[in-house]
Amino acid sequence: MKQGFLAVICLLAGSSPAIAQNRAAITVNATEKGAAIPATLHGVFFEEISHAGEGGLYAEMVQNRGFEDHRIPAGTKLENGWLVPFPQKPHFMLHGQVSDWKMEWPLQSRWPAWHAESNAQLSLVTDHPLNAATPHAMQVKITGRGAALVNEGFWGMNVEKGAAYRLSFFANTVKGYTGKVTASLQSASGQVLADTVLQISSSSSWKKYNATFTAKGSDPAGRLVLTFHQNGTLLLDMVSLFPVHTFRDRPNGMRADIVTLIQKMKPAFVRWPGGCYVEGITVESAPNWKTTIGPVEQRTASYSPWGYWSSNGFGYHEYLQFCEDINAAALYVFNVGISCEYRSGTFVPDDSVAPYIQSALDAIEYAVGPVTSRWGKQRAANGHPAPFPLRYVEVGK
């Protein structure tokens, strides 16, 4: 070690003397530098795994805000409680055969993360959809005092004393309910940590309601409770709760604590959205960046191969903005018509690949194209006329 050398002797022990006498020597020169590693090779990889985005980086606190999480992903079907491939087109099948892959379907409720309390009856309806992206609405029938609709968040809601929260939801009174609704953040034991009262007015169409309140107590396992004060039937959709303080205080933003940690790492790039996520469990269920931009209530969700839905509130635009905010280059991964080989393994034939290539070109144009281009104009309309820092693209995963 005085000369800067480390010798590592590996003895291969065995039953025979010949094997026991074999040895290998590895010499490491700790004083000699190897090839320089450019700073541009140090980055982070963000994929929707284990709720890294939904319930993690993305600051939305309500799980299943659009009441769509009960659906099974496209290109699949349920068989005896298992999700199995069900290609919509025969030529999507790998070698002409359906894969034997299957995944246990984890959901038992029609409205995951939600439940009713006291004199409230819940049902999902499609007769008055908010829009095509969220065709189901939660119908709440109130028949007495204490009727409430409760969301448990993602393993509870981390309510912090002194923090302000922004609530929004869409309501439709076509089925007769008008009157007060108390929105409260409560502890796991039912203690009210924050509350506000909203007046639901009669309307023949959907109306958005907004409120901001500040917590007077804390609980890491809190919940959102909507309590109804009159009998009747009310339709609700896109029930959302954000901390007012997100990273750079952006609406529909990211958790400041997590982003700050990532920013301190000084990544040269951020790779997104996958991984297996970009491929989907089937060709039909793979994410499409074009459905992840614009108003959040008009975005369609994507099913993660890791077993849950992503609302796409953290969409392509938010990803690019995230990269810009932390001074990192964007590395966008696009789908080429191949699903995850460890799931269904379905893929499109060669003569059907062109639309995937065009989608990738459109994504590039959205990020860096001039405002006179089709997708550059859309980027400007979404609030960012200047180009985003897209530097790299990756074909598939």
Side-chain angles (χ1 to χ4, degrees):
M1 292 299 294
K2 291 182 180 180
Q3 298 179 355
F5 288 88
L6 171 65
V8 181
I9 307 299
C10 300
L11 299 179
L12 303 178
S15 57
S16 79
I19 295 178
Q21 292 175 3
N22 288 340
R23 60 179 61 186
I26 300 175
T27 302
V28 179
N29 186 345
T31 63
E32 183 178 315
K33 291 184 178 181
I37 300 176
T40 53
L41 294 182
H42 167 74
V44 297
F45 172 29
F46 172 52
E47 181 172 4
E48 191 60 83
I49 302 175
S50 299
H51 291 273
E54 201 78 5
L57 181 67
Y58 184 47
E60 173 65 78
M61 299 173 69
V62 173
Q63 185 178 177
N64 189 21
R65 65 185 178 187
F67 304 107
E68 302 293 335
D69 284 7
H70 65 286
R71 298 170 302 128
I72 64 171
T76 67
K77 63 179 179 178
L78 280 177
E79 286 186 353
N80 300 318
W82 292 83
L83 198 67
V84 299
F86 188 60
Q88 297 176 2
K89 295 182 179 180
H91 62 240
F92 283 174
M93 295 185 295
L94 180 63
H95 304 307
Q97 298 179 351
V98 177
S99 167
D100 60 1
W101 169 86
K102 63 180 181 179
M103 182 185 79
E104 189 173 8
W105 186 243
L107 302 180
Q108 303 298 322
S109 171
R110 288 272 292 166
W111 37 84
W114 294 93
H115 70 268
E117 289 188 348
S118 299
N119 297 302
Q121 300 173 14
L122 306 182
S123 57
L124 288 183
V125 295
T126 57
D127 51 351
H128 295 280
L130 177 62
N131 57 57
T134 176
H136 295 88
M138 176 61 79
Q139 178 174 285
V140 186
K141 184 177 181 181
I142 301 100
T143 59
R145 292 176 59 85
L149 176 65
V150 181
N151 186 267
E152 64 191 39
F154 298 88
W155 315 282
M157 296 181 177
N158 184 27
V159 181
E160 298 181 310
K161 183 178 180 179
Y165 298 91
R166 182 180 293 112
L167 170 73
S168 66
F169 60 83
F170 287 84
N172 191 321
T173 64
V174 68
K175 298 193 177 184
Y177 184 94
T178 57
K180 295 179 179 179
V181 173
T182 297
S184 62
L185 294 176
Q186 298 184 8
S187 68
S189 62
Q191 177 188 0
V192 175
L193 306 174
D195 62 346
T196 187
V197 178
L198 300 97
Q199 180 69 34
I200 307 299
S201 57
S202 179
S203 175
S204 59
S205 59
W206 288 94
K207 181 179 178 180
K208 189 175 184 179
Y209 293 83
N210 300 277
T212 301
F213 43 30
T214 300
K216 54 190 177 185
S218 299
D219 191 335
R223 58 185 194 157
L224 172 66
V225 181
L226 301 178
T227 304
F228 307 93
H229 299 281
Q230 280 79 33
N231 289 353
T233 301
L234 182 66
L235 299 182
L236 295 170
D237 208 342
M238 289 301 294
V239 182
S240 175
L241 182 73
F242 273 82
V244 170
H245 175 54
T246 59
F247 187 72
R248 296 203 174 182
D249 293 331
R250 296 191 183 281
N252 192 49
M254 311 298 112
R255 277 181 49 178
D257 56 345
I258 298 179
V259 177
T260 299
L261 288 173
I262 298 173
Q263 185 181 40
K264 289 180 178 179
M265 296 170 61
K266 298 181 180 180
F269 63 87
V270 179
R271 180 177 182 247
W272 180 90
C276 293
Y277 182 83
V278 75
E279 297 175 326
I281 58 175
T282 63
V283 170
E284 299 93 331
S285 68
N288 178 358
W289 73 268
K290 293 178 182 177
T291 66
T292 74
I293 60 175
V296 292
E297 68 272 13
Q298 295 178 17
R299 303 184 188 186
T300 55
S302 298
Y303 193 76
S304 170
W306 311 103
Y308 60 94
W309 285 97
S310 167
S311 68
N312 283 325
F314 184 96
Y316 185 52
H317 186 97
E318 287 77 18
Y319 157 66
L320 294 168
Q321 185 66 71
F322 170 55
C323 292
E324 181 178 88
D325 284 349
I326 65 172
N327 195 31
L331 192 169
Y332 171 62
V333 186
F334 65 89
N335 185 286
V336 288
I338 302 174
S339 68
C340 179
E341 62 182 323
Y342 294 108
R343 274 77 178 185
S344 71
T346 53
F347 60 90
V348 300
D350 291 348
D351 60 8
S352 299
V353 172
Y356 293 87
I357 298 173
Q358 186 59 54
S359 178
L361 295 173
D362 292 344
I364 295 171
E365 184 176 279
Y366 182 90
V368 300
V371 295
T372 53
S373 65
R374 176 187 175 186
W375 291 105
K377 181 179 180 180
Q378 186 63 56
R379 181 191 69 242
N382 289 339
H384 200 284
F388 279 118
L390 178 67
R391 298 289 182 271
Y392 315 101
V393 293
E394 180 179 342
V395 181
K397 70 169 185 177

